[in-house]
Amino acid sequence: MTDSELRALMKSDLNAGAKELYQQYYRYVYAIVFRLLRDCGTQEDVEDCVADTFAEILSHADNIRGENLKAYIGRAAHNKALNYCRSLNRQEKYTTPLDDAPEPVGEDLESDAEKRELKEKLLAEIQNLGEPDSTILVQKFYFGRSMAEIAEAVGLTTHAAQVRCGRALKRLKKTLKDWR
Amino acid sequence: MRKKDMMQLLGTLSEEDAAKLAEQHLVLTEQEHERILGKIEQRLTPHTGEDADIIESRPALTKTTRFGWVSHAVTAAACVAIFAGAFAGMFWLNSHAPVQPDESACSVQTEGLPPVVAHVTGDRYALSGMTKTGALFMTVTNAVREDDLLHVTLTLESDDAVFYGKPEQLFTDNFLADTGREAGLTSPCAMAYDGKTGDLPHSVILEAGETATLELWYPVEKENKTIRLFAGTSQEHPYTEIKLED
């Protein structure tokens, strides 16, 4: 569905428009919110923030007339998540804005360029693992989900998902070791 | 590569890479989808209360308010006006038996929603939404600039027991501010109820004569000189104007 069709649907039938909006953009919103809240919030905070974002977009659907929908949604998710993060960190009133926060430093000191290269290589090799292994690894090591949740999401038993995860990790380590 | 290193590297993804990763690999379970959709629906659906009254609509009375202060002190006392209007999509309905509105009562009708009464009593303004009895009164008692934050203090009073079922909606979806920081209204980035941060109470219950304090913090840009604090979720609701002076 195009942006204009989606806008028209939200205007004519809010329920159907809400479902379609969620269907098209939940991954995008979840990704933005999760990236900002992963270190300061819980799973429930992420879900609450995602829900708040969609509710706000739907409440102000008229405001996005003419504007790029994805950009508007991205901005709304980003701002909501930042506010959530500030609220969760409210013990320290003058918190460092997240965009200005220093990059975490690993135990092994590496140059920025090497780190960036490694990151790109890692992402590419995760893709090369194929499905469902790449999804299992991302769900586990980026989204921090339990194996039971991952298994249910990809349609495997918990044991099977665990075994696939272990094997995928071994292959990934070997590939990256060979590359280095 | 150790698992820890991998998690650390993945944790520093840019927004663009994170979005790509999620679009390709985020899979939520059915329960998670239902939970999120349920929460969206909850936030969009007004709640029907018991013992509610139909209030006659009248145009809102407005009394703009001015705060002036230097950066570290309040220099001018001001009358405060907060109007409670109808809170689009986020507040509770009054219905059933009609009541006799008194002369100080006023209400603002929001499209599709029955009105919520605001009682003007001197410099206190009252909101009566989902109340069992009586009314909840609010007064802005302080507003001060703290670097890039505007810190607003509201005192809540009741002339009878008041119950609100969803205080997080009362707190986060009302009193939005136009701080100039972003186009549209800004939600508070932090709040405290009775001086406590952390988990907000599940309800606001104030017996007759009891008071509580609600503090809200809004982000502002240093160059903004005027902030509007809206009693509602859009700029169509009555507002208090707060002027900032160096």
Side-chain angles (χ1 to χ4, degrees), chain B residues 10-101:
Chain B
L10 289 176
T12 59
L13 287 179
S14 65
E15 194 162 286
E16 202 187 322
D17 282 341
K20 266 191 225 156
L21 204 67
E23 278 178 309
Q24 286 161 355
H25 300 295
L26 175 65
V27 185
L28 299 180
T29 61
E30 276 302 316
Q31 291 95 317
E32 283 167 326
H33 280 301
E34 275 171 22
R35 233 173 16 234
I36 295 173
L37 284 167
K39 287 179 192 201
I40 295 170
E41 197 180 355
Q42 212 177 52
R43 281 147 174 79
L44 291 175
T45 307
H47 204 83
T48 306
E50 302 168 22
D51 303 322
D53 304 313
I54 292 174
I55 310 297
E56 184 186 304
S57 288
R58 281 216 244 149
L61 297 170
T62 54
K63 185 174 162 189
T64 56
T65 302
R66 180 178 299 196
F67 275 108
W69 65 85
V70 294
S71 53
H72 300 292
V74 176
T75 56
C79 292
V80 173
I82 284 188
F83 266 83
F87 297 86
M90 297 295 178
F91 214 62
W92 298 276
L93 309 176
N94 286 319
S95 59
H96 311 313
V99 290
Q100 200 72 4

Side-chain angles (χ1 to χ4, degrees), chain A residues 32-33 35-36 53 73-83 99, chain B residues 15:
Chain A
I32 293 170
V33 167
R35 180 183 161 269
L36 289 170
T53 302
I73 290 169
R75 207 165 56 240
H78 185 95
N79 291 340
K80 247 327 169 205
L82 275 185
N83 284 341
D99 290 340
Chain B
E15 194 162 286

Side-chain angles (χ1 to χ4, degrees), chain A residues 22 27 31 35 38 47-48 52 78 87 90-91 106-107 119 127 131 135 139 141 145 152 173, chain B residues 1 4 6 8 10-13 15 22 24-27 31-33 35 39 43 189 197-198:
Chain A
Y22 178 79
R27 285 196 179 89
R35 180 183 161 269
R38 70 196 298 265
E47 287 181 6
D48 282 344
D52 278 351
H78 185 95
S87 180
R90 60 185 163 269
Q91 295 298 331
E107 283 178 18
K119 212 188 301 185
Q127 287 300 106
E131 293 296 342
T135 291
Q139 291 279 321
F141 292 106
R145 302 160 78 76
E152 187 187 339
K173 278 184 186 173
Chain B
M1 160 167 288
K4 191 178 163 186
M6 184 161 85
Q8 204 168 60
L10 289 176
T12 59
L13 287 179
E15 194 162 286
Q24 286 161 355
H25 300 295
L26 175 65
V27 185
Q31 291 95 317
E32 283 167 326
H33 280 301
R35 233 173 16 234
K39 287 179 192 201
R43 281 147 174 79
C189 56
T197 55

Side-chain angles (χ1 to χ4, degrees), chain B:
Chain B
M1 160 167 288
R2 295 173 298 174
K3 281 184 199 177
K4 191 178 163 186
D5 293 334
M6 184 161 85
M7 285 174 73
Q8 204 168 60
L9 269 178
L10 289 176
T12 59
L13 287 179
S14 65
E15 194 162 286
E16 202 187 322
D17 282 341
K20 266 191 225 156
L21 204 67
E23 278 178 309
Q24 286 161 355
H25 300 295
L26 175 65
V27 185
L28 299 180
T29 61
E30 276 302 316
Q31 291 95 317
E32 283 167 326
H33 280 301
E34 275 171 22
R35 233 173 16 234
I36 295 173
L37 284 167
K39 287 179 192 201
I40 295 170
E41 197 180 355
Q42 212 177 52
R43 281 147 174 79
L44 291 175
T45 307
H47 204 83
T48 306
E50 302 168 22
D51 303 322
D53 304 313
I54 292 174
I55 310 297
E56 184 186 304
S57 288
R58 281 216 244 149
L61 297 170
T62 54
K63 185 174 162 189
T64 56
T65 302
R66 180 178 299 196
F67 275 108
W69 65 85
V70 294
S71 53
H72 300 292
V74 176
T75 56
C79 292
V80 173
I82 284 188
F83 266 83
F87 297 86
M90 297 295 178
F91 214 62
W92 298 276
L93 309 176
N94 286 319
S95 59
H96 311 313
V99 290
Q100 200 72 4
D102 63 58
E103 284 184 15
S104 62
C106 65
S107 64
V108 173
Q109 179 83 40
T110 294
E111 187 184 7
L113 288 180
V116 172
V117 171
H119 298 278
V120 176
T121 54
D123 60 354
R124 284 189 315 163
Y125 294 85
L127 167 67
S128 97
M130 184 167 154
T131 58
K132 296 285 187 192
T133 55
L136 180 69
F137 295 89
M138 301 170 293
T139 309
V140 173
T141 47
N142 198 25
V144 64
R145 184 86 171 257
E146 293 171 351
D147 284 353
D148 63 345
L149 296 174
L150 176 67
H151 178 186
V152 178
T153 305
L154 299 152
T155 298
L156 309 176
E157 303 163 77
S158 169
D159 69 347
D160 204 335
V162 172
F163 172 71
Y164 286 86
K166 296 182 184 179
E168 58 269 27
Q169 286 185 348
L170 173 68
F171 299 153
T172 62
D173 296 323
N174 304 314
F175 310 113
L176 293 175
D178 182 356
T179 62
R181 176 169 270 236
E182 304 284 347
L185 298 184
T186 299
S187 300
C189 56
M191 61 196 72
Y193 183 71
D194 267 352
K196 295 186 200 96
T197 55
D199 289 336
L200 293 177
H202 289 293
S203 59
V204 173
I205 302 176
L206 291 175
E207 301 292 335
E210 279 188 352
T211 61
T213 304
L214 175 64
E215 294 172 87
L216 305 171
W217 283 266
Y218 296 95
V220 295
E221 296 291 359
K222 282 190 165 43
E223 58 269 19
N224 287 356
K225 296 301 178 192
T226 304
I227 310 295
R228 284 182 176 178
L229 186 63
F230 289 85
T233 55
S234 80
Q235 285 155 337
E236 283 153 16
H237 289 116
Y239 59 83
T240 297
E241 193 164 85
I242 301 170
K243 294 213 176 206
L244 312 180
E245 289 171 8
D246 288 329

